[in-house]
């Protein structure tokens, strides 16, 4: 009887494309998976100071209240998804514990959290042509004058729903559903093909 928990990347089937979880698709595009990050969907009232205080105390970062922005702390990034919805993403792989800690701290507050870690994965894209590759399947204007570090958005890449954000160093994080992760990876590889091996 096996009692040890075993995690498996949703990109296990794309092993031929991602050697050891990453791939240099060309001199201008690099793709890797950031597997097993903790992800929590959080709902609450941003106007409630008790809710904002609870988030800050447990997650260690202030709640982003401006549309399509992120707040980054030592352990987590908070993505704004809507006026009453956020996504907490850990910087590093870790066991799911934030859901429990938030529920305890929320107490009777009109707020909720759901651990969604197992339903998604994060892809990291870097290189000088990343925006060009993403724009082949994403309708957002990703030009640096428009989409800047510290911003995030929900959209799609071809048929895959995504949440994406740009980091200060110019890399991009894409959060994709587990069931579409293999497809999204293969589409990213295909969209990068014109930029050479």
């Amino acid at each position: 009887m096996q009692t040890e928990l075993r995690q498996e990347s949703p990109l296990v089937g794309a092993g031929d494309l991602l050697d050891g979880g990453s791939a240099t698709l060309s001199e201008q595009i690099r793709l890797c998976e950031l597997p097993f990050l903790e992800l929590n969907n959080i709902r609450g009232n941003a106007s409630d100071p008790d809710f904002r205080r609870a988030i800050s105390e447990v997650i260690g970062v202030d709640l982003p209240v401006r549309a399509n922005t992120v707040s980054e702390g030592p352990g987590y990034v908070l993505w704004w998804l809507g006026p009453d919805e956020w996504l907490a993403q850990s910087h590093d792989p870790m066991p799911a514990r934030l859901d429990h800690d938030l529920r305890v701290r929320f107490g009777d507050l009109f707020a909720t959290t759901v651990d969604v870690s197992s339903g998604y994965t994060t892809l990291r894209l870097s290189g000088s042509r990343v925006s060009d590759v993403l724009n082949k399947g994403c309708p957002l204007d990703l030009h640096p004058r428009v989409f800047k570090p510290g911003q995030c958005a929900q959209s799609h890449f071809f048929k895959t729903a995504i949440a994406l954000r740009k980091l200060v160093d110019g890399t991009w994080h894409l959060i994709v559903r587990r069931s579409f992760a293999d497809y999204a990876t293969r589409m990213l590889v295909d969209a990068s093909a014109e930029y050479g091996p």
Side-chain angles (χ1 to χ4, degrees):
M1 177 181 208
Q2 185 178 5
T3 58
E4 185 177 327
L5 178 66
R6 181 173 167 255
Q7 291 181 305
E8 184 174 78
S9 161
L11 298 183
V12 67
D16 56 325
L17 300 174
L18 298 179
D19 182 29
S22 67
T24 300
L25 306 180
S26 75
E27 289 183 8
Q28 297 138 342
I29 304 290
R30 183 162 181 77
L31 166 67
C32 71
E33 182 190 18
L34 303 174
F36 315 127
L37 299 184
E38 187 177 19
L39 296 166
N40 274 269
N41 184 270
I42 301 167
R43 303 296 295 260
N45 181 357
S47 301
D48 182 349
D50 291 333
F51 173 67
R52 292 196 314 271
R53 191 176 311 110
I55 294 293
S56 181
E57 288 174 8
V58 175
I59 301 178
V61 64
D62 290 336
L63 194 69
V65 292
R66 244 180 61 230
N68 299 312
T69 61
V70 300
S71 294
E72 195 160 354
Y76 293 89
V77 179
L78 273 175
W79 301 50
W80 184 97
L81 299 181
D84 65 351
E85 184 177 12
W86 297 265
L87 182 71
Q89 177 192 41
S90 67
H91 290 300
D92 301 304
M94 63 176 59
R97 67 170 187 255
L98 185 59
D99 182 68
H100 172 266
D101 294 347
L102 282 171
R103 286 178 187 275
V104 169
R105 178 57 183 84
F106 285 163
D108 293 332
L109 288 175
F110 187 70
T112 188
T113 176
V114 177
D115 175 61
V116 295
S117 306
S118 63
Y120 294 84
T121 194
T122 302
L123 302 176
R124 181 182 184 272
L125 289 158
S126 58
S128 60
R129 302 307 293 262
V130 172
S131 296
D132 297 321
V133 169
L134 289 173
N135 272 142
K136 288 184 177 185
C138 178
L140 297 178
D141 187 348
L142 303 178
H143 192 279
R145 286 190 306 261
V146 177
F147 204 116
K148 299 179 173 145
Q151 291 181 284
C152 66
Q154 296 179 82
S155 186
H156 61 85
F157 182 70
F158 291 100
K159 296 180 180 179
T160 305
I162 59 171
L164 71 163
R165 76 177 180 108
K166 188 175 186 179
L167 283 67
V168 174
D169 65 2
T171 62
W172 292 81
H173 282 188
L174 276 67
I175 298 176
V176 299
R177 286 187 183 276
R178 181 179 188 90
S179 56
F180 279 90
D182 185 281
Y183 166 81
T185 299
R186 292 179 187 278
M187 293 305 292
L188 285 165
V189 170
D190 184 68
S192 303
E194 74 170 277
Y195 301 114

